[in-house]
């Protein structure tokens, strides 16, 4: 089985950018956000459970989950969020573990935005944190998602703090420089992880 490198970081830290740089070395990516979307696709157990709970009006005309409507429903009913997490998290975890088993690269990246918050670093052999300062997070997220500063600060408040994440890290990439600096950091870690994977075999 591949060595599992966990990758996490706060909103706007550049997790996807870093993950894609590792992918250029042929490293398998296992992305919890993509899996979370997959487990509620049409004809899945996840979507069937949501329809049972919320009714078929939670679907778009195409028969897919209406995410905006679901967000509104969660906002109005805090119990729904708890139920949703209890229902979907086990499905996501099973799929993540299956993809780890199927990984063929020497090591794989397990990308989970809320890794620390949900104590999922237990699934990894080593934890890589993408670190940026809060002001950079706010500026990047506002530009990317076209949202106001207050909304971004609300998201930040719900996440682990920068120091909490960094204390859990085995490795840290500082993503505040230029793309060359980032490439160099990834190249060094790629070699380190290849060595670790060889030692594990």
């Amino acid at each position: 089985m591949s060595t599992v490198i966990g990758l996490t970081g706060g909103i706007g830290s550049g997790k996807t950018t870093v993950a894609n740089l590792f992918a250029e070395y042929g490293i398998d990516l296992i992305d919890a956000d993509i899996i979370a979307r997959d487990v509620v696709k049409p004809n899945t157990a996840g979507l069937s459970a949501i329809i049972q709970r919320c009714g078929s009006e939670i679907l778009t005309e195409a028969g897919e989950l209406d995410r905006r409507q679901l967000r509104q429903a969660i906002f109005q009913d805090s119990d729904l969020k708890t139920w949703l997490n209890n229902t979907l998290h086990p499905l996501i975890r099973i799929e993540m573990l299956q993809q780890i088993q199927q990984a063929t690269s020497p090591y794989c990246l397990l990308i989970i935005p809320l890794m620390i918050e949900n104590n999922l670093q237990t699934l990894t052999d080593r934890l890589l944190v993408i670190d940026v300062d809060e002001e950079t997070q706010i500026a990047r997220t506002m530009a990317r998602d076209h949202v106001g500063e207050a909304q971004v600060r609300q998201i930040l408040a719900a996440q682990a703090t920068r120091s909490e994440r960094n204390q859990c890290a085995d490795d840290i990439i500082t993503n505040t420089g230029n793309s060359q600096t980032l490439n160099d950091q990834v190249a060094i870690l790629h070699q380190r992880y290849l060595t670790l994977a060889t030692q594990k075999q």
Side-chain angles (χ1 to χ4, degrees), residues 36 39-40 46-47 50 83-93:
V39 298
V40 292
L47 186 58
I50 293 171
W83 175 86
L84 206 58
N85 287 340
N86 291 341
T87 304
L88 298 183
H89 283 180
L91 298 175
I92 294 166
R93 189 187 182 96

Side-chain angles (χ1 to χ4, degrees):
M1 191 175 87
S2 288
T3 298
V4 182
I5 308 297
L7 187 154
T8 194
I11 190 168
S13 57
K15 294 180 291 295
T16 304
T17 304
V18 171
N20 289 340
L21 289 173
F22 279 100
E24 288 177 13
Y25 289 103
I27 299 306
D28 292 330
L29 306 183
I30 300 159
D31 191 326
D33 277 353
I34 293 172
I35 292 170
R37 287 195 287 274
D38 287 345
V39 298
V40 292
K41 279 184 173 174
N43 304 315
T44 58
L47 186 58
S48 297
I50 293 171
I51 294 166
Q52 263 189 322
R53 169 79 189 236
C54 301
S56 55
E57 58 269 20
I58 203 73
L59 301 176
T60 64
E61 286 181 12
E64 296 175 345
L65 180 62
D66 188 333
R67 293 176 182 280
R68 199 173 66 170
Q69 202 172 318
L70 183 63
R71 276 196 297 271
Q72 285 175 340
I74 289 167
F75 186 70
Q76 290 161 356
D77 178 3
S78 57
D79 289 344
L80 177 59
K81 185 178 183 180
T82 305
W83 175 86
L84 206 58
N85 287 340
N86 291 341
T87 304
L88 298 183
H89 283 180
L91 298 175
I92 294 166
R93 189 187 182 96
I94 288 165
E95 182 59 29
M96 287 192 304
L97 292 171
Q98 281 181 343
Q99 289 191 23
I100 288 168
Q101 292 288 345
Q102 291 161 2
T104 55
S105 52
Y107 68 91
C108 61
L109 281 191
L110 178 62
I111 308 149
I112 306 178
L114 299 178
M115 177 97 67
I116 310 299
E117 293 83 344
N118 292 317
N119 200 34
L120 291 169
Q121 64 269 36
T122 54
L123 300 176
T124 70
D125 295 301
R126 199 170 176 86
L127 183 61
L128 167 60
V129 167
I130 316 305
D131 182 49
V132 295
D133 59 89
E134 200 171 276
E135 295 313 310
T136 303
Q137 284 182 275
I138 291 166
R140 284 181 184 168
T141 307
M142 285 171 67
R144 183 191 68 194
D145 297 346
H146 310 292
V147 292
E149 184 178 335
Q151 194 174 338
V152 182
R153 287 193 181 277
Q154 207 174 5
I155 294 166
L156 285 173
Q159 295 187 344
T161 65
R162 188 180 175 189
S163 63
E164 283 168 348
R165 263 192 303 272
N166 289 352
Q167 279 169 11
C168 293
D170 295 298
D171 304 297
I172 296 173
I173 282 181
T174 305
N175 186 18
T176 48
N178 58 31
S179 58
Q180 188 55 54
T181 308
L182 193 61
N183 286 338
D184 292 346
Q185 291 181 85
V186 170
I188 290 165
L189 284 176
H190 173 61
Q191 291 305 322
R192 184 180 298 169
Y193 296 155
L194 285 178
T195 304
L196 280 171
T198 307
Q199 290 168 350
K200 190 183 171 186
Q201 285 171 357

